[in-house]
Amino acid sequence: MISIIGLILSLSLIIFLAYKGYSTIITAPLVALLTLFLIGEDTNTQLMVHYTEVYMGGFANFVKNYFPIFLTGAIFAKLMEETLYAKSIANFITKNLGKNKTILAVVFAGALLTYGGVSLFTVAFVLYPIANVLFKESDIPKRLIPGTIALGSFTFTMTALPGTPEIQNVIPMRYFGTDTFAAPLIGIIASVLMLLLGIVWLTYRVRKAHANLEGYGNHHIEDNPNENKNIPSIFLAVTPILIIFLSNLFFSKIFYQLIDGSYLSKYNLSLDNVSGTWSVIISIVISTLFIIITNFGKFSNLNKVLNEGISNSFLPLLSSSAIVGYGSVIKSLPVFIALQSMILNVSSNPIISEALSVNIICGITASASGGLTITLDALSSTFIAMSQSLNISPEIMHRIAALASGGLDTLPHNGAVITTLAICSLTHKDSYKDIFITSVVIPILVTALVVITASILYT
């Protein structure tokens, strides 16, 4: 009981410090060591070894496995922003759907950008100025913008839609030997449900606000008459996204299926474990080269753009790595083993056990990528053995893991939540309720429905 209380206090402290704006890069190791000091067994004199070996071991392993994804994704996102491709996509969708479809327009714009590999943080920066103007013109309360951005960026295109190159859909590939298109039917159904339920909720919120005579609110918008000049065509703007999708499909489903991966045995790897990640990296690089080559003469300083993209990859990567390091320390404690046993004892069904485990650990870390990595590091072999005994395919386990990572991850201290609110100049009190419904409640509900259905059909 004391250990559980200590863990709760540890999580509460992480949340409190996040509310105060402190970076997890600083707070995660400090809180991890404090937790170890308070509830560790025979470890109070060994804090430094737990920092350098356990915490930094988890930290470094995450960097090793996923730095190329973060790096290539951030450079691609910066180029999409610099060439105004992202703005062209957002403008096209929002303008063609009309003012009466403002919510749907912003959600679709965010979904297309994230499905194209643009990071969640970048999408918020790109979407906010457009959403702000559209919400003002439609007289929709500004406080609903973060929830709308969250629905389009933090939900179905992050975890459910087959082929998405977002890191939450990439991580399970290493453990299950799958690719980003795993269990496409489940992914498509889950995506549609999340989208529909999210739109229903936000539409209800708009109608309720208008019934109470609440409009956009007293918020200043700076006019920029040159904002929409030289915007590229929508056809050119979506080409990089199509390149990523088609290249990823080709390499994961055709090219690597024809390759002899026996040479990987000397690295203690199999082609199934790495080909999915390699496919995503290669696809993003190809698309990035396409943008650079077709816009080469338009960059005033390409080196500066690339350096900014590189710099943009560091903070999300290090923040996620810090959370993984924190989780590695928690994972080393007896309380984690007890928690793990408790979850596994809930059901002998691996689909249920995996969904619960991933969601809870993502909630503890407030990070979908961090929590997903920690859970699969600790339990993937158990899930694989359980699923094989019931003839459940690795693709099903991949999709359930990805879906489950998109539930409790967006608690108030989640980095993307804090960033989105800051970009919109709004507070948790103003807007977190809608973020919570669209990116926590609805994804958990949909995941539960998928888990129940999959359990009936596949076990």
Side-chain angles (χ1 to χ4, degrees):
M1 177 58 92
I2 293 177
S3 296
I4 294 294
I5 293 173
L7 181 59
I8 293 172
L9 290 175
S10 172
L11 296 176
S12 300
L13 182 58
I14 283 278
I15 293 173
F16 173 77
L17 292 173
Y19 261 103
K20 292 296 183 179
Y22 292 98
S23 170
T24 56
I25 298 173
I26 297 174
T27 61
L30 294 177
V31 175
L33 294 179
L34 177 61
T35 306
L36 188 68
F37 180 78
L38 292 175
I39 64 177
E41 294 183 2
D42 299 324
T43 57
N44 295 341
T45 60
Q46 305 170 23
L47 294 181
M48 286 308 299
V49 74
H50 277 81
Y51 172 65
T52 60
E53 303 306 315
V54 180
Y55 177 85
M56 288 306 302
F59 185 106
N61 194 51
F62 189 85
V63 173
K64 168 186 170 292
N65 289 331
Y66 301 111
F67 174 65
I69 295 289
F70 279 85
L71 176 65
T72 55
I75 292 174
F76 172 79
K78 184 61 184 177
L79 289 169
M80 287 288 288
E81 177 186 351
E82 189 72 18
T83 56
L84 300 180
Y85 286 179
K87 184 175 285 293
S88 173
I89 292 169
N91 281 353
F92 177 83
I93 294 175
T94 51
K95 287 182 178 178
N96 283 275
L97 285 178
K99 292 183 180 180
N100 62 332
K101 296 291 190 300
T102 292
I103 296 291
L104 190 62
V106 175
V107 169
F108 276 175
L112 185 56
L113 291 172
T114 49
Y115 192 69
V118 180
S119 73
L120 308 182
F121 294 91
T122 301
V123 169
F125 278 105
V126 173
L127 277 186
Y128 170 67
I130 299 168
N132 201 24
V133 171
L134 289 171
F135 273 57
K136 173 69 173 178
E137 291 176 350
S138 302
D139 202 28
I140 297 174
K142 181 183 178 181
R143 60 182 172 82
L144 298 181
I145 292 178
T148 306
I149 291 176
L151 176 60
S153 307
F154 303 169
T155 59
F156 59 97
T157 52
M158 186 179 86
T159 64
L161 203 59
T164 177
E166 294 295 332
I167 192 68
Q168 293 78 9
N169 191 41
V170 171
I171 289 172
M173 299 189 303
R174 177 174 292 272
Y175 302 92
F176 297 112
T178 51
D179 55 50
T180 57
F181 297 91
L185 182 59
I186 290 177
I188 291 171
I189 292 172
S191 298
V192 172
L193 288 174
M194 287 186 205
L195 174 61
L196 291 178
L197 290 173
I199 293 296
V200 168
W201 169 258
L202 291 171
T203 302
Y204 159 75
R205 294 284 282 167
V206 171
R207 289 175 179 172
K208 184 177 179 181
H210 286 170
N212 293 331
L213 302 180
E214 179 188 1
Y216 174 80
N218 187 23
H219 304 282
H220 176 66
I221 297 181
E222 293 185 5
D223 294 323
N224 184 358
N226 297 318
E227 186 179 42
N228 292 318
K229 288 186 177 180
N230 301 317
I231 298 289
S233 71
I234 184 62
F235 301 103
L236 182 60
V238 299
T239 300
I241 294 176
L242 291 175
I243 290 174
I244 289 179
F245 178 82
L246 295 174
S247 298
N248 187 18
L249 187 64
F250 168 73
F251 283 105
S252 61
K253 294 296 187 182
I254 300 176
F255 181 79
Y256 282 117
Q257 298 298 320
L258 303 175
I259 295 294
D260 179 10
S262 59
Y263 72 96
L264 290 171
S265 60
K266 66 179 180 180
Y267 302 101
N268 295 318
L269 293 172
S270 69
L271 194 59
D272 286 342
N273 294 132
V274 295
S275 61
T277 303
W278 291 354
S279 297
V280 174
I281 295 171
I282 294 171
S283 299
I284 296 176
V285 169
I286 291 173
S287 187
T288 298
L289 290 175
F290 169 81
I291 296 176
I292 292 174
I293 292 171
T294 55
N295 291 274
F296 192 79
K298 301 177 183 178
F299 294 111
S300 59
N301 190 338
L302 178 59
N303 186 46
K304 179 182 177 182
V305 174
L306 294 176
N307 285 337
E308 288 180 4
I310 293 169
S311 298
N312 289 345
S313 72
F314 292 151
L315 184 59
L317 173 65
L318 295 180
S319 296
S320 296
S321 300
I323 286 296
V324 171
Y326 168 81
S328 296
V329 173
I330 298 299
K331 188 173 65 174
S332 71
L333 298 174
V335 66
F336 182 84
I337 298 175
L339 182 63
Q340 172 182 318
S341 299
M342 181 182 69
I343 295 171
L344 291 176
N345 287 334
V346 170
S347 174
S348 59
N349 184 331
I351 294 175
I352 296 174
S353 297
E354 183 183 51
L356 286 174
S357 301
V358 171
N359 226 322
I360 290 172
I361 303 304
C362 287
I364 289 175
T365 60
S367 168
S369 56
L372 186 57
T373 299
I374 291 166
T375 307
L376 295 183
D377 273 345
L379 298 172
S380 61
S381 59
T382 302
F383 295 144
I384 290 171
M386 293 170 67
S387 62
Q388 286 177 343
S389 67
L390 296 173
N391 294 319
I392 299 173
S393 74
E395 285 76 16
I396 299 295
M397 300 304 292
H398 170 131
R399 187 56 55 204
I400 295 297
L403 283 170
S405 74
L408 292 176
D409 63 309
T410 41
L411 292 177
H413 56 305
N414 173 271
V417 169
I418 293 172
T419 300
T420 300
L421 290 172
I423 292 170
C424 297
S425 300
L426 294 165
T427 66
H428 282 79
K429 182 179 179 180
D430 294 325
S431 301
Y432 182 70
K433 178 179 180 179
D434 296 294
I435 295 177
F436 182 74
I437 297 296
T438 57
S439 67
V440 178
V441 174
I442 290 175
I444 288 177
L445 176 60
V446 171
T447 300
L449 292 173
V450 169
V451 166
I452 292 171
T453 304
S455 297
I456 294 173
L457 294 177
Y458 301 109
T459 61

